[in-house]
Amino acid sequence: MAQVQKPSIPKGTRDFSPEQMAGRNYIFDTVRSVFRKFGYKPIETPSMENLSTLLGKYGEEGDKLLFKVLNSGDAFSKISVDDFQKLVADSTPETSAPSLNSNALSLKVCEKGLRYDLTVPFARYVVQHRSEITFPFKRYQIQPVWRADRPQKGRYREFYQCDVDVIGSKSLLNELELVQIVDEVFGIFGINVCIKINNRKILSGLAEVMGFPEKLVEITIAMDKIDKIGLEAVKEEMLSQGVDEKGFSILEPVLTFNGSTQEKIALISDVVKDSETGRTGVEELKTLFSLIDQAGISQKVEVDLSLARGLNYYTGAIFEVKALDFAIGSICGGGRYDNLTGIFGLPDVSGVGISFGADRIYDVLTGLDKFPKDAITGTRVLLSNMDESSVAYLLPLAGKLRSKGISCEQYPDQTKLKKQFEYAEKNHISYFIIAGESEVQSQTVNIKNLETGEQTTLPVAEAEKFISENILQ
Amino acid sequence: MAQVQKPSIPKGTRDFSPEQMAGRNYIFDTVRSVFRKFGYKPIETPSMENLSTLLGKYGEEGDKLLFKVLNSGDAFSKISVDDFQKLVADSTPETSAPSLNSNALSLKVCEKGLRYDLTVPFARYVVQHRSEITFPFKRYQIQPVWRADRPQKGRYREFYQCDVDVIGSKSLLNELELVQIVDEVFGIFGINVCIKINNRKILSGLAEVMGFPEKLVEITIAMDKIDKIGLEAVKEEMLSQGVDEKGFSILEPVLTFNGSTQEKIALISDVVKDSETGRTGVEELKTLFSLIDQAGISQKVEVDLSLARGLNYYTGAIFEVKALDFAIGSICGGGRYDNLTGIFGLPDVSGVGISFGADRIYDVLTGLDKFPKDAITGTRVLLSNMDESSVAYLLPLAGKLRSKGISCEQYPDQTKLKKQFEYAEKNHISYFIIAGESEVQSQTVNIKNLETGEQTTLPVAEAEKFISENILQ
């Protein structure tokens, strides 16, 4: 403990102050309460997973973004200098490309990695615990994930995901339920959103009728960028991936069509009519929208035929939610996957889920000033500290207030009353109860309402009632 | 995504099932609500800290137990084979001792580590954000920590700490408040505990009057083991550390004395009377017990003159809480520290805090069967799924029940009613509402109370009222 360090935290990570925590807890508490109301149950998985669980699940790019944890103990002792020489041969600074061999070396000294998302650990959980689980299994999970992405505004290396999934049921009622959850959550937040829905089977059908069924991944990856790069650039990317003009000409009207949900469904129904998968997708979309009509959703819900979602494991409905009155990327997204647990040895278990982006929702609530005022309320009552005997005099009152559930603290140090006042104000405390020698003698307290400035002197025996009535009303 | 993997998680880590989560959330919610009632505010810090923040803060042993995170990108590219050869020269398998050089190598490829506790990150937070903080700063923090300890029963590599600290105040009212918090938390849990209190200044005084003030650390480390290894072994360890028989003879009666708090204070007051530090410690202990008497604490509180607590940063009161009716180590502990923030450039800021051990508390609550029954309640109402039209018929009822805050789900798949029943039972659901063709026709529902087996048929319009009255009473 010798020299003084200037404290800092790793780039892309954050400290959360009490004010920020209040906002974040409001978000977590809200989504949690809605998840519960729909019968979802919490699970948690370890922050570290075996790298064998994580690698290969997020594409090549994802593998690079995994944070690896060095084996504990003497991590390097099992590697000989010869091994090392071989392993790093291609990764000297002369070669600029990321080196596979350096990767291989890291795998020799790291067996664990930090969780990259909550979906793969969930799949792993379901397979590992399948004998204890009653299917359909409805779970939610609110935990941080880590990605070694280049940090930038709104993109962090540690951030929370709030995932809600049901696994072991193919019914479209599950999709409806997720739409209802989104509807209710953003209703509570007071954020107007648009819930965009598409179906991966329709995209498969499109790739088929375009004549490039084998290029489904490339087509969806390109489509996914349409909001960012525009139609022309999407076309360019597809052509460079081997899709021909004729194929793209089938897709183009689908991507550019504007109209009602009914009209969109009519259009796509016609375009993919020669693909069985495509027709199934259209049927699913129709059924889902009919359920949505029956259930009555307050927020805007629409078909978005250009919606693709990057992740390859989606196989049915896909969702994305955007805030209507605040410019930010999607604040919620998800979809149905038919074989996520297959890689862990449990094939053919269908599930559907969505993930709420807590950080972006925080930004939207801040930007639209929609955080409820009482979300940031901390202590309600401060008791003064004038001298030893008045502290003892106020001690029972603190206990009584807390027993009513009123958060209350006694200023710990004997200092000037002015300083205690300032403390109360900076902490947004509502009432300051003051007692000094004279109050002890007269068995009274002086109560100052710090919001209105009003001041009252009351018998100490009546203070609890006065505060309770004013605060708990 | 080719070959099938048998899923597993890293040793020493855990998945938490919905049942376990319910218990854990009960613990977290309880401590959180008590912390808040006493005016403490939440903060969170990143899971990863710079290794420079963590190293050297937990002793040599602690440094070894840090989980290091491999730098992202090409972590090894900056090390030449020559460097490597030098760095690992001493760490070949022939030398069995842990190798410093391998450590040096790991520091070349790892800049970050996983949080080892919440105290050091809190100290770092206070210094880094001191200009935004109003002192005294009362914070709580409930987050996981990671230690590369050898996993064993009750010892995990990832576990939660629930820390509550006040920093920037020397008043003993803070110590009282922590005792009150412990009292209230375990009162809610229904766990009988003993709150043991000592003071590090008394230990310093003891080391002085024993004639070995410079051996305070060795003496406290040895004393700390008395419960585990007994008095004789403690004596042996102290003698081996250079304490002489005469010195130990002064300590021995203190360690073995049985008596009331008053008698203990009288004894220690006499033993350390020639040490100024010791006298200050006794005064602090006296004052704290007088405050405890005034505040009225329900749980057992006692002076434990053999209590030492391992951590070197404690400088005043130290606490440890043990369950009286369940054999397990301490379930809560802490103390006052006068210079924790000094290493980060902010000297002389005194603080005091305690940490609740959520995992052990979980074991105690389980062992004593003290988890409240409603802590594990999930969904209350299941709606049947017989066919499309009855699903649509029940859909509005689900919405109405949820709007009353009643957790409710509709079985997603059209399967045998028996299977739906089993699902309800396995998930401990209270009511199963059934509607098929005939109920739709007669505008009724069949409601089965799964706890009592009672069954009722009601007009569907009355179902919400019936359920609300039975559940929300």
Side-chain angles (χ1 to χ4, degrees), chain A residues 38-85:
Chain A
F38 281 83
Y40 291 79
K41 300 195 180 81
I43 69 160
E44 285 191 0
T45 61
S47 302
M48 294 187 281
E49 292 274 354
N50 292 322
L51 278 175
S52 57
T53 299
L54 302 175
L55 285 168
K57 308 303 187 301
Y58 307 105
E60 215 176 297
E61 199 48 42
D63 282 356
K64 282 185 206 147
L65 300 183
L66 291 173
F67 276 112
K68 301 188 183 81
V69 177
L70 199 67
N71 295 341
S72 47
D74 203 354
F76 290 94
S77 65
K78 284 170 206 145
I79 309 176
S80 72
V81 174
D82 270 7
D83 283 344
F84 182 80
Q85 202 145 13

Side-chain angles (χ1 to χ4, degrees), chain A residues 5 15-16 37-39 41 44 47 52 68 70 74 102 124 129 158 169 171 294 379 392 408 412-413 427, chain B residues 5 15-16 37 39 41 44 47 52 68 70 74 102 124 129 158 169 171 294 379 392 408 412-413 427:
Chain A
Q5 306 167 344
D15 283 325
F16 295 109
K37 252 199 308 192
F38 281 83
K41 300 195 180 81
E44 285 191 0
S47 302
S52 57
K68 301 188 183 81
L70 199 67
D74 203 354
S102 184
R124 194 264 313 144
H129 301 274
E158 173 177 44
S169 163
S171 163
Q294 289 170 50
T379 297
C408 162
D413 301 291
N427 283 290
Chain B
Q5 305 167 345
D15 284 325
F16 295 109
K37 254 201 304 194
K41 299 196 180 81
E44 285 190 1
S47 302
S52 58
K68 301 189 182 82
L70 198 67
D74 204 353
S102 184
R124 195 264 312 143
H129 301 275
E158 173 176 44
S169 163
S171 163
Q294 289 169 51
T379 296
C408 160
D413 301 292
N427 284 289

Side-chain angles (χ1 to χ4, degrees), chain A residues 247-372:
Chain A
F248 189 77
S249 73
I250 293 172
L251 181 63
E252 186 171 348
V254 175
L255 295 182
T256 54
F257 183 75
N258 264 317
S260 69
T261 289
Q262 296 311 322
E263 290 163 345
K264 283 178 185 164
I265 289 178
L267 170 82
I268 195 65
S269 178
D270 186 54
V271 174
V272 301
K273 64 178 182 293
D274 292 333
S275 156
E276 196 187 325
T277 311
R279 288 196 304 271
T280 309
V282 173
E283 272 318 301
E284 289 181 6
L285 203 59
K286 273 189 192 167
T287 307
L288 178 54
F289 270 88
S290 137
L291 286 170
I292 287 171
D293 277 348
Q294 289 170 50
I297 299 293
S298 309
Q299 300 275 4
K300 192 174 166 193
V301 190
E302 66 176 32
V303 170
D304 181 349
L305 296 171
S306 73
L307 179 65
R309 303 234 6 116
L311 293 169
N312 288 327
Y313 52 69
Y314 291 128
T315 52
I318 45 180
F319 307 96
E320 213 160 88
V321 180
K322 298 217 167 186
L324 290 177
D325 310 319
F326 193 82
I328 202 165
S330 73
I331 51 181
C332 187
R336 176 170 288 276
Y337 41 86
D338 279 340
N339 200 21
L340 196 61
T341 56
I343 184 71
F344 299 117
L346 188 66
D348 302 323
V349 181
S350 189
V352 58
I354 49 169
S355 183
F356 288 77
D359 289 294
R360 285 190 174 168
I361 293 173
Y362 185 95
D363 289 345
V364 177
L365 286 167
T366 306
L368 299 175
D369 194 18
K370 291 283 188 185
F371 275 116

Side-chain angles (χ1 to χ4, degrees), chain A residues 381-387 390-391 393-394 397 401 409-411 415-418 420-421 424 431-440 442-450 453-460 463 467:
Chain A
V381 180
L382 181 69
L383 305 178
S384 70
N385 188 329
M386 312 277 279
D387 52 49
S390 70
V391 163
Y393 172 72
L394 289 175
L397 178 56
L401 290 170
E409 51 184 300
Q410 191 151 24
Y411 195 83
T415 58
K416 284 180 194 146
L417 213 50
K418 185 163 173 288
Q420 301 184 32
F421 254 115
Y431 290 91
F432 187 23
I433 300 185
I434 305 155
E437 217 177 313
S438 67
E439 282 82 8
V440 173
S442 61
Q443 291 288 298
T444 60
V445 288
N446 184 279
I447 301 179
K448 193 171 169 103
N449 181 329
L450 295 174
E454 273 177 278
Q455 224 162 320
T456 334
T457 298
L458 280 179
V460 64
I467 295 284

